[in-house]
């Protein structure tokens, strides 16, 4: 039979292991960071969550994770507070950047598709020539496609 101290130590070790494994939101990959930077430089980025706010909220129990809608990670960070202060600000920042990236990609794709649908309609109606259509479609693709 194990002592209460051993069980408590093992429980703490399991909680800490879960916190380390689940405590941080995945950081954007290098190409995703470059793509988001391109969108920002071209005025196309969507900022759904502020990364600085997410990082500051990470000081509170699970705050950064809850702010970025990572509720499961937020609960783990809440249970591991104050130790989670070591990783939750980073987790919150990464979570905000990930949300912003995903929102931006979705919005840009919708804008691109809407413009191409409009061009398709104009081509079908005969209001623009095939050459004009191809030129405008190429410009549209260039406007919404990151150069990374």
């Amino acid at each position: 039979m194990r002592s209460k101290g051993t069980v408590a130590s093992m429980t703490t070790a399991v909680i800490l292991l879960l916190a380390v494994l689940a405590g941080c939101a995945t950081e954007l990959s290098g190409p995703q960071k470059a793509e988001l930077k391109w969108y920002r430089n071209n005025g196309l980025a969507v900022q759904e969550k502020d990364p600085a706010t997410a990082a500051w909220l990470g000081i509170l129990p699970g705050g950064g994770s809850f702010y970025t809608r990572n509720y499961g990670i937020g609960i783990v960070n809440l249970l591991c507070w104050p130790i989670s202060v070591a990783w939750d600000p980073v987790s919150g920042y990464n979570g905000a950047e990930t949300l912003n990236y995903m929102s931006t990609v979705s919005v840009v794709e919708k804008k691109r598709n809407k413009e191409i649908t409009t061009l398709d309609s104009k081509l079908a109606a005969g209001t623009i020539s095939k050459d004009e259509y191809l030129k405008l479609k190429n410009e549209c693709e260039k406007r919404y496609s990151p150069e990374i």
Side-chain angles (χ1 to χ4, degrees), residues 1-132:
M1 189 168 190
R2 294 186 175 157
S3 69
K4 289 182 182 180
T6 305
V7 172
S9 295
M10 289 181 70
T11 302
T12 302
V14 168
I15 289 173
L16 286 174
L17 179 63
L18 287 173
V20 169
L21 294 175
C24 293
T26 304
E27 184 177 11
L28 293 175
S29 68
Q32 289 171 325
K33 286 180 186 178
E35 191 175 351
L36 185 56
K37 182 179 178 180
W38 186 89
Y39 288 131
R40 285 179 175 147
N41 291 340
N42 288 280
L44 296 170
V46 174
Q47 182 162 318
E48 192 169 324
K49 297 290 182 178
D50 179 42
T53 300
W56 279 107
L57 287 172
I59 296 169
L60 302 173
S65 298
F66 287 122
Y67 176 70
T68 58
R69 298 187 205 126
N70 292 307
Y71 304 114
I73 295 170
I75 290 170
V76 171
N77 291 337
L78 177 65
L79 295 173
C80 294
W81 194 81
I83 299 167
S84 64
V85 171
W87 63 79
D88 198 29
V90 173
S91 180
Y93 181 90
N94 289 341
E97 285 289 274
T98 299
L99 276 173
N100 293 340
Y101 172 76
M102 292 170 56
S103 295
T104 297
V105 168
S106 176
V107 167
V108 167
E109 185 69 17
K110 285 178 186 173
K111 285 180 180 182
R112 185 186 75 71
N113 288 343
K114 184 177 179 182
E115 278 191 40
I116 290 176
T117 300
T118 301
L119 290 174
D120 290 343
S121 297
K122 288 180 178 182
L123 179 64
T127 57
I128 60 173
S129 69
K130 181 75 170 173
D131 289 338
E132 239 181 325

